[in-house]
Amino acid sequence: MKRKKAFRFFGRNIELFTLSLPAVIYIFIMSYIPMFGVVIAFKNYRYDKGILGSEWIGFKNFEFLFKTETALRITRNTVLYNLGYMALTTIAALTVAILLNEIAKKWLKVYQTALILPFFLSWVVMSYITLAFLDHDNGFINSWLASAGMEKIQWYFEAKYWPYILNIVHLWKAIGFSAMVYYAGILGIDGELYEAARIDGAKRMQMVTNITIPQLTPLIIILLILSIGNMFRGDFGLHYFIPNNNGMTFATTDIIDTYIYRALSEIADVSMASAVGLYQSFVGFVLVVVANFTVRRFNEDNSLF
Amino acid sequence: MLAKPTQAVWSQLIIHAVFILITIVMLVPFALVIIISFSDEQSILHNGFRLIPDQFSAKAYHYFLKTPDTILRAYGVTIIVAVIGTCISLILTSTMGYVLSRKDYGLQRATSFYVFFTMLFNGGLVPFYILVTQILHLKNSIWALIIPGLLSPFYVLIMKGFMSKIPTEIIESAKVEGAREWRIYMKMILPLSKPALATLGLFILFNYWNEWFNALLFINNEQLVPLQLLLVRTMNTLDFITSRPEFATAMVSLNVDMGDFPKTSAKFAVAVLSAGPMLLVFPFFQRFFVKGLTIGAIKG
């Protein structure tokens, strides 16, 4: 009886299962096998001995990591930068989206295109643009400073400027796409709400504060919570290419992701890189689950899973 | 009554002024890079980068047009990777998305969890690096650029959301007529999902085009350097291009001394040549990029 049932289940689902098989195998190889690789964090990994052959050392890698100042520095940088990007981009993009909604269609397209253009650049290309501005000898800003009779600044060597530079560069690249998302949200608001407000004699500004922003709130909150879930995942490209991987500015530019990359490719300390990676994955996992739980309590339809 | 329209006109003017300012801020960096690439080397050395240099010069481009091999090869690698990657990726994404959109599939919940758990937890960079280099042996292979980006759970989610809206009656009636699942997928689901396929295809193509991380990790072979890695390598020094034998030969045939080579403007010319063409193409599809987020009205 049971076997017959199992057989029927098999027969009914085998075709769809086969259809999903390539993707299932792909995910197994690319995502699940590496999950077992986290054991490297508890070993003294050597290429010649392989994962299984390397010696177990327990939590030594983590002990070492948290004894140095590095762990604190990269965690603080990662979280603070993400908070900064989140706040700046949300406020700026919302403002732009609300203003876009106020202007005539024919101009809209021009502004939209200009806004979204940087979105299509990779961080590598972006690093050329920042170099054009910040290069010590020839940079746009320095040659302007020089012609104004001021001292040139060694941008790539001074850590104190980088929090501003990175936030500005990030905003410049991200504002367009983010504004489009909010603008699409505004277009989705029921037009009758505005019509009714107009009949009641509401001013433009009142419509923004009483209709547009409250109607967008769910979207804003979802996007915010999603980015809180990603608080531990830094933007490698931004923090690696824009400061040009310069050791002089690591105090304010180094994040978890760039540290792991350097530990792996430059110092070749595989176990340490893996320990930092596991630390990042684990805290990231907790944050995503907590964030999703929060969304679900707030509004079930908007939770991710 | 008369005061109102003037007030509206004023606020319109202010909003336009704000946007014109924003547009300038967005466009000046592009202009600056392009102008530097067309600046005369001597005027850069004297005055630094300017929006209006003392003297324009297309010399930097002149050299690359004479010896286009390195840049053309990088274009070739990028195009091959992007096209093959996008095709395979669309197949994987759409089959998985479709299977997950079928509520009557017995393993739907299990498969769903299997796919989306990878969004929550991953092994991190090191196990991934060891997998690709030690187990799959893809170091210095073009597949190292293609395979890692083939399937994103996020795109599966979008695809699934879109396909869930296809009425189940269509699938039911096809099954009554005895059609096999893969036939239903090929003949009905794929044609009906064209908007989602086009949008996601564009996203994936764009991601492959701008991909540099895997190249940075896995590619040392000069023959396999894609555009973005070419840019990474020319950032600090132009040696990658200028030390090639073809280049030296061309220099001799052009009868120029290496000392005259416009190093600074050439660097920016490489950036313009690499990023320029795509920057002319992608903005035409900008609405698809925004639509991509809403097309599936995501819900897991």
Side-chain angles (χ1 to χ4, degrees):
Chain A
M1 203 44 200
K2 220 176 176 182
R3 260 181 69 185
K4 209 172 168 186
K5 217 170 159 188
F7 197 72
R8 271 239 303 274
F9 181 83
F10 180 80
R12 210 170 330 129
N13 295 304
I14 183 67
E15 286 182 31
L16 282 175
F17 179 72
T18 319
L19 208 52
S20 73
L21 199 57
V24 167
I25 294 172
Y26 177 85
I27 292 171
F28 184 76
I29 296 173
M30 298 307 289
S31 300
Y32 283 92
I33 292 181
M35 281 183 203
F36 297 106
V38 298
V39 298
I40 297 168
F42 305 99
K43 290 192 162 201
N44 182 15
Y45 182 78
R46 282 175 48 183
Y47 278 104
D48 54 333
K49 289 185 177 170
I51 294 175
L52 295 175
S54 295
E55 174 201 359
W56 287 97
I57 53 165
F59 282 88
K60 280 234 178 74
N61 287 322
F62 294 94
E63 264 171 46
F64 183 75
L65 170 69
F66 289 107
K67 256 188 206 150
T68 60
E69 267 182 31
T70 321
L72 179 69
R73 184 186 74 191
I74 58 179
T75 307
R76 183 201 63 196
N77 283 353
T78 310
V79 172
L80 284 183
Y81 274 114
N82 277 335
L83 283 174
Y85 300 154
M86 191 174 90
L88 264 180
T89 312
T90 307
I91 293 168
L94 253 178
T95 314
V96 167
I98 288 168
L99 290 180
L100 276 177
N101 195 35
E102 299 291 321
I103 55 176
K105 263 257 153 67
K106 67 174 175 182
W107 290 104
L108 191 72
K109 269 222 120 126
V110 179
Y111 298 146
Q112 263 182 339
T113 308
L115 273 163
I116 208 162
L117 219 48
F119 168 77
F120 297 105
L121 299 174
S122 69
W123 286 120
V124 184
V125 179
M126 288 289 292
S127 70
Y128 281 80
I129 292 178
T130 32
L131 183 73
F133 280 90
L134 302 179
D135 185 58
H136 178 60
D137 296 325
N138 308 317
F140 188 67
I141 296 181
N142 271 356
S143 50
W144 186 80
L145 284 177
S147 65
M150 280 184 274
E151 198 77 26
K152 285 184 175 182
I153 297 171
Q154 301 248 23
W155 300 100
Y156 285 96
F157 294 117
E158 301 228 26
K160 62 179 174 187
Y161 298 116
W162 281 92
Y164 305 102
I165 298 172
L166 289 172
N167 271 297
I168 292 169
V169 171
H170 180 273
L171 181 66
W172 188 73
K173 188 171 188 292
I175 187 173
F177 191 75
S178 192
M180 292 312 125
V181 172
Y182 286 123
Y183 181 63
I186 292 176
L187 292 184
I189 297 173
D190 190 351
E192 281 179 27
L193 289 174
Y194 292 105
E195 205 48 54
R198 199 166 298 137
I199 291 166
D200 289 346
K203 295 214 176 77
R204 284 304 229 186
M205 207 49 210
Q206 288 174 317
M207 288 195 223
V208 169
T209 50
N210 293 325
I211 302 175
T212 314
I213 292 180
Q215 289 284 318
L216 281 182
T217 306
L219 177 67
I220 298 169
I221 290 185
I222 298 310
L223 292 177
L224 285 185
I225 291 177
L226 277 179
S227 48
I228 287 171
N230 281 320
M231 198 89 313
F232 253 60
R233 292 191 194 134
D235 195 329
F236 176 79
L238 170 59
H239 288 259
Y240 184 78
F241 290 118
I242 305 300
N244 209 2
N245 193 27
N246 191 325
M248 304 274 286
T249 57
F250 280 164
T252 54
T253 60
D254 204 17
I255 53 170
I256 300 177
D257 304 70
T258 46
Y259 181 80
I260 296 174
Y261 177 79
R262 278 205 323 276
L264 179 69
S265 67
E266 287 169 25
I267 317 166
D269 190 344
V270 178
S271 292
M272 181 52 75
S274 178
V276 184
L278 181 57
Y279 160 63
Q280 181 184 37
S281 290
F282 180 73
V283 180
F285 173 71
V286 172
L287 284 175
V288 176
V289 171
V290 169
N292 185 69
F293 182 72
T294 319
V295 185
R296 191 135 62 167
R297 291 205 57 179
F298 177 77
N299 183 346
E300 184 140 10
D301 286 338
N302 288 313
S303 70
L304 211 54
F305 49 88
Chain B
M1 265 332 261
L2 250 167
K4 262 190 176 167
T6 29
Q7 200 188 1
V9 168
W10 268 110
S11 67
Q12 277 289 312
L13 276 177
I14 293 170
I15 292 173
H16 276 290
V18 169
F19 273 113
I20 289 167
L21 199 72
I22 293 177
T23 307
I24 293 172
V25 171
M26 298 318 270
L27 295 183
V28 161
F30 288 97
L32 184 63
V33 168
I34 295 168
I35 290 167
I36 294 170
S37 73
F38 279 106
S39 294
D40 181 62
E41 194 72 6
Q42 285 307 313
S43 54
I44 291 178
L45 288 178
H46 284 300
N47 302 320
F49 301 150
R50 291 267 171 100
L51 280 172
I52 304 162
D54 290 346
Q55 205 168 353
F56 283 99
S57 155
K59 243 189 185 166
Y61 291 94
H62 189 69
Y63 289 102
F64 291 126
L65 290 179
K66 286 282 176 194
T67 55
D69 316 45
T70 314
I71 291 176
L72 282 183
R73 173 163 280 279
Y75 260 102
V77 172
T78 296
I79 289 170
I80 291 171
V81 167
V83 170
I84 297 179
T86 306
C87 292
I88 303 178
S89 179
L90 277 180
I91 295 171
L92 290 177
T93 308
S94 61
T95 48
M96 192 41 113
Y98 172 58
V99 170
L100 289 181
S101 76
R102 285 281 299 266
K103 291 187 186 66
D104 57 330
Y105 175 46
L107 295 171
Q108 198 250 5
R109 284 184 71 89
T111 314
S112 223
F113 181 80
Y114 178 79
V115 175
F116 299 122
F117 183 72
T118 62
M119 277 170 108
L120 304 182
F121 189 78
N122 60 69
L125 177 64
V126 176
F128 167 72
Y129 181 81
I130 292 174
L131 172 81
V132 175
T133 54
Q134 313 272 312
I135 300 175
L136 302 175
H137 297 290
L138 292 178
K139 190 145 187 152
N140 281 322
S141 150
I142 198 161
W143 291 101
L145 301 175
I146 297 174
I147 290 179
L150 280 179
L151 192 70
S152 146
F154 189 68
Y155 293 159
V156 173
L157 208 62
I158 292 173
M159 188 61 92
K160 179 203 162 188
F162 183 86
M163 287 174 166
S164 299
K165 287 180 200 141
I166 296 173
T168 42
E169 292 81 20
I170 300 180
I171 300 165
E172 287 304 322
S173 65
K175 275 170 86 177
V176 170
E177 283 169 32
R180 292 279 174 148
E181 293 290 0
W182 68 269
R183 251 193 101 76
I184 298 176
Y185 163 77
M186 292 281 287
K187 298 278 169 197
M188 303 175 70
I189 301 300
L190 282 188
L192 285 171
S193 307
K194 267 184 203 152
L197 289 171
T199 308
L200 285 183
L202 196 71
F203 259 98
I204 297 165
L205 189 75
F206 170 68
N207 289 340
Y208 271 113
W209 191 273
N210 273 346
E211 210 290 318
W212 40 262
F213 192 61
N214 296 316
L216 202 61
L217 283 175
F218 303 121
I219 300 296
N220 294 323
N221 182 348
E222 297 198 346
Q223 307 290 311
L224 289 175
V225 169
L227 272 182
Q228 301 293 329
L229 186 61
L230 175 82
L231 280 173
V232 175
R233 293 194 174 184
T234 41
M235 183 71 199
N236 292 312
T237 159
L238 273 172
D239 289 352
F240 181 65
I241 295 180
T242 51
S243 65
R244 302 293 287 272
E246 308 96 84
F247 196 83
T249 340
M251 284 288 154
V252 173
S253 74
L254 282 170
N255 208 4
V256 284
D257 184 31
M258 256 326 269
D260 291 339
F261 183 68
K263 282 200 180 100
T264 320
S265 54
K267 194 195 272 185
F268 286 91
V270 179
V272 172
L273 287 173
S274 308
M278 272 297 131
L279 221 48
L280 296 177
V281 175
F282 276 125
F284 283 105
F285 299 99
Q286 52 166 300
R287 64 194 179 91
F288 286 100
F289 281 89
V290 181
K291 217 170 81 184
L293 289 178
T294 48
I295 197 163
I298 307 165
K299 172 71 188 143

